[in-house]
Amino acid sequence: MVTGVGTAVYYATPDVIPVRTARVWVKAGLTALAVATSVPELRATWAAARERQELDGAAPLSEVLRSLPASSKAVVFGLAAAGLAGSIGGILIAERWAFRHGQARAAAGKRLPHTGPALVYGALASGLRLLPTPSDTP
């Protein structure tokens, strides 16, 4: 629920807060709130993954990374950095598109041009949380 509401509020801020600096701070606060609300779930997921590794007899990821030669470590961290950069770049492109789309709607005379799409984004975020998780059984 927090994810959907937070997403809607995040993308509707240009309609409510006209000053860009204030919007940045509000969005930073909303992002911090979203991260804070996801910490318990993240910790539970990490604990379950560690437990599953122990039951399977697999070595922990930290041991696997330590045992790699330096060149392989560089490749792993390079791929992780590239994946992170690509993810951030994709998010930036999508957010700029959403903002420009809202600005075009504003120029066309729409009232609250960012809020309508923001509600759709929030509904999609909430809907994604309702999807069942894949089961561990084949």
Side-chain angles (χ1 to χ4, degrees):
M1 184 67 148
V2 172
T3 303
V5 172
T7 301
V9 171
Y10 183 92
Y11 287 105
T13 54
D15 291 341
V16 182
I17 304 169
V19 179
R20 184 176 186 204
T21 305
R23 268 197 320 264
V24 168
W25 284 107
V26 168
K27 286 183 172 188
L30 288 169
T31 302
L33 177 65
V35 169
T37 59
S38 67
V39 166
E41 185 178 344
L42 180 63
R43 292 182 74 168
T45 301
W46 274 105
R50 276 192 222 108
E51 184 178 310
R52 195 173 313 123
Q53 278 182 335
E54 290 172 5
L55 293 175
D56 293 343
L61 183 60
S62 59
E63 285 183 27
V64 172
L65 286 174
R66 280 190 206 115
S67 68
L68 291 174
S71 60
S72 296
K73 286 180 187 177
V75 169
V76 168
F77 288 117
L79 288 172
L84 181 62
S87 176
I88 292 170
I91 290 169
L92 288 174
I93 290 168
E95 285 196 354
R96 287 182 181 184
W97 175 85
F99 182 75
R100 287 185 182 128
H101 180 69
Q103 292 301 95
R105 288 170 46 98
K110 299 281 184 186
R111 185 183 148 117
L112 300 176
H114 297 274
T115 302
L119 293 173
V120 172
Y121 306 151
L124 285 172
S126 293
L128 289 174
R129 297 279 299 162
L130 298 175
L131 290 175
T133 57
S135 65
D136 291 337
T137 58

